[in-house]
Amino acid sequence: QVQLVESGGGLVQAGGSLRLSCTASGRTDSSYVMGWFRQAPGKEREFVAAIGWSRGSTYYGDSVKGRFTISRDNAKNTVYLQMNSLKPEDTAVYYCAVDLGELISIHRHDYNYWGQGTQVSVSS
């Protein structure tokens, strides 16, 4: 009942920045956690960041802490991921996800809806 569409991926040089967006549609009248995961070739899907509904509580994966910033605009049902100081190891497909629960989870199976993914490629 929730559809997610990501945008903003692309190719960037190491040290550069990208801003990803994800807009939710459908039944978006309730509170929920929005998060980002990524998956590089040959690797497990990895938690990147998530943001809660109340007061915008955030949580980041260790690999991106201090470089990435997640935010949301509840009126627009949109979550953003500002990615700075990008590294080649950040190269992956980035997925937006929604967790209908109230507490932030880092586990992909706790998320109920997923976007199609957007490719982020960082060159050295």
Side-chain angles (χ1 to χ4, degrees):
Q1 59 185 25
V2 177
Q3 297 80 46
L4 302 171
V5 178
E6 304 102 328
S7 63
L11 176 64
V12 66
Q13 295 180 2
S17 299
L18 284 173
R19 186 180 187 236
L20 306 183
S21 299
C22 173
T23 298
S25 61
R27 295 187 61 85
T28 57
D29 57 336
S30 60
S31 61
Y32 49 84
V33 172
M34 300 188 76
W36 291 93
F37 289 75
R38 67 186 184 185
Q39 188 164 22
K43 292 187 176 181
E44 182 72 17
R45 193 178 304 174
E46 176 189 23
F47 173 79
V48 175
I51 184 167
W53 177 271
S54 179
R55 304 194 66 171
S57 299
T58 59
Y59 193 82
Y60 296 91
D62 290 340
S63 62
V64 306
K65 190 175 298 182
R67 299 187 297 121
F68 292 8
T69 302
I70 188 171
S71 62
R72 69 189 293 173
D73 185 336
N74 290 340
K76 297 180 179 179
N77 297 310
T78 299
V79 63
Y80 306 94
L81 185 68
Q82 178 66 46
M83 304 184 295
N84 298 325
S85 302
L86 283 163
K87 306 174 181 179
E89 51 263 43
D90 294 319
T91 295
V93 176
Y94 284 70
Y95 297 92
C96 174
V98 162
D99 180 358
L100 296 180
E102 296 182 1
L103 300 178
I104 292 177
S105 173
I106 66 170
H107 305 295
R108 63 183 179 89
H109 291 299
D110 289 331
Y111 287 77
N112 305 96
Y113 301 97
W114 295 83
Q116 81 286 354
T118 184
Q119 177 71 48
V120 172
S121 298
V122 184
S123 63
S124 59

